[in-house]
Amino acid sequence: IFCKPKVNIHLDKGAVLKGSTDMKYYPARRVRIEGHFEEHFASGLINAEGCDGLRVDGEGTLDGSGRPTWDRFWQLARTTKQPEKVSNSTISRPQLCIINNSKNVTVEGVTFKDSAFWNLHLYQCRNVTVRQVRFQVPDGYKRAPSTDGIDVDSCQDVEIDGCYFSVTDDCVCLKGSRYDGLNQEPPSPPVRNVMVKNCIFNRGDGAVTFGSEAQSISGVEMKDCVVRGKMPMLRIKFRPDTANQDYRNVRVHDIKLEGTQGEIVRVSPYHGTKVPTPKAPISKV
């Protein structure tokens, strides 16, 4: 679905918008992933570009039918002679909802289920509210690859309120540009002013994650949330191939950390790279 400006999506209770498992129905196009653009990557189930005032709401479900794609990804990883080179760009996979270059966006009430890749990807958006939304993959599937809940990519003024996350990658991930020799456009805007509140983080690699790909993140508040299981409350990722990384003005308070294996903070200083230590630039948090 390619949204037009001033057209919204409402899913009644019990309604399911179910994605096909046949990739031919997701036309390849220029898609932003992992801090750069892939020129020929699967479009999402829902795609919105320049749709100010967009609403995706209701009590229905977006179902990505992701299981066959997850299985195909792990099959490739098992059978290739170089499994370390199997990455998110190796297999073109659709995201459930991609919203680009839009302001005054609301996503409310919907369940995001079994996405083949990231669930909700916001890129260069401003004034976004994500409220009472569920993001989930089956508990019985050991690891659905890269099923991030919300990717806040180069966005400003984002509020995430009352959401539930049970995924097998980062729940809320703050992203931006990366600089590792990729042929990409000028740097995207920084991440600014993100509020995460009243959320339940049931399963994932991090409740709120800084980085993977980002240069500048500031003005983040996390409050009144529950973090369960083994995941860290905050996960801080730095990339030695990306200079001038600076994460600041972060306030976290009134969090209930449940479970015996939870962590408050986990720092990954060499995320996704193998840059020799002497050549690594200094990052700041």
Side-chain angles (χ1 to χ4, degrees):
I1 294 177
F2 292 87
C3 298
K4 301 294 185 182
K6 299 184 180 181
V7 176
N8 300 316
I9 294 177
H10 177 79
L11 297 170
D12 282 340
K13 186 175 183 179
V16 178
L17 184 58
K18 190 172 178 64
S20 173
T21 59
D22 189 336
M23 291 301 104
K24 73 180 181 183
Y25 294 112
Y26 302 91
R29 56 200 290 262
R30 192 170 188 261
V31 175
R32 167 88 170 183
I33 67 165
E34 297 188 321
H36 70 289
F37 288 89
E38 288 287 336
E39 295 299 328
H40 301 283
F41 202 80
S43 49
L45 180 60
I46 294 176
N47 307 268
E49 175 83 31
C51 293
D52 294 352
L54 173 69
R55 290 190 64 90
V56 180
D57 63 13
E59 297 181 65
T61 298
L62 295 176
D63 186 344
S65 306
R67 177 65 183 263
T69 308
W70 306 335
D71 292 345
R72 189 162 63 250
F73 181 91
W74 292 124
Q75 177 66 19
L76 178 62
R78 284 193 300 269
T79 56
T80 183
K81 294 180 179 179
Q82 295 180 298
E84 71 279 359
K85 292 188 177 181
V86 177
S87 67
N88 284 330
S89 59
T90 304
I91 296 180
S92 182
R93 294 177 285 157
Q95 301 169 65
L96 263 183
C97 184
I98 305 171
I99 304 174
N100 293 342
N101 300 296
S102 304
K103 58 181 181 289
N104 304 323
V105 172
T106 300
V107 181
E108 184 171 14
V110 178
T111 293
F112 285 64
K113 177 180 179 291
D114 296 356
S115 181
F117 190 30
W118 296 346
N119 280 271
L120 174 60
H121 184 189
L122 307 168
Y123 175 62
Q124 291 216 69
C125 293
R126 182 183 290 273
N127 297 327
V128 178
T129 299
V130 185
R131 183 186 298 117
Q132 298 294 327
V133 176
R134 294 178 68 88
F135 302 90
Q136 59 193 51
V137 298
D139 289 337
Y141 196 94
K142 185 175 181 181
R143 185 167 185 83
S146 299
T147 49
D148 294 13
I150 305 173
D151 286 291
V152 180
D153 185 353
S154 306
C155 296
Q156 300 79 43
D157 305 317
V158 177
E159 181 174 283
I160 298 168
D161 180 11
C163 295
Y164 175 87
F165 300 86
S166 190
V167 296
T168 51
D169 209 314
D170 299 316
C171 296
V172 175
C173 192
L174 311 181
K175 290 176 172 285
S177 295
R178 83 180 200 229
Y179 292 83
D180 56 358
L182 292 171
N183 181 19
Q184 57 183 325
E185 292 185 341
S188 296
V191 176
R192 294 284 185 269
N193 305 326
V194 178
M195 168 68 79
V196 180
K197 63 181 183 180
N198 305 315
C199 293
I200 296 175
F201 298 93
N202 184 65
R203 184 185 182 199
D205 289 350
V208 176
T209 295
F210 290 69
S212 293
E213 308 83 25
Q215 271 200 305
S216 179
I217 300 172
S218 70
V220 179
E221 184 172 3
M222 178 186 184
K223 67 177 183 178
D224 300 317
C225 294
V226 176
V227 181
R228 298 172 177 163
K230 300 179 181 180
M231 82 178 84
M233 179 184 72
L234 291 182
R235 189 177 182 193
I236 312 296
K237 298 178 182 177
F238 289 115
R239 296 180 64 98
D241 57 12
T242 300
N244 303 316
Q245 290 185 289
D246 191 325
Y247 308 157
R248 65 177 62 227
N249 299 335
V250 181
R251 183 165 186 247
V252 181
H253 59 99
D254 297 289
I255 307 296
K256 185 176 183 181
L257 198 64
E258 294 184 347
T260 59
Q261 295 179 296
E263 301 173 57
I264 295 174
V265 179
R266 181 189 301 169
V267 179
S268 303
Y270 296 98
H271 178 77
T273 62
K274 294 183 180 180
V275 175
T277 302
K279 295 183 179 180
I282 293 175
S283 298
K284 295 182 293 183
V285 60

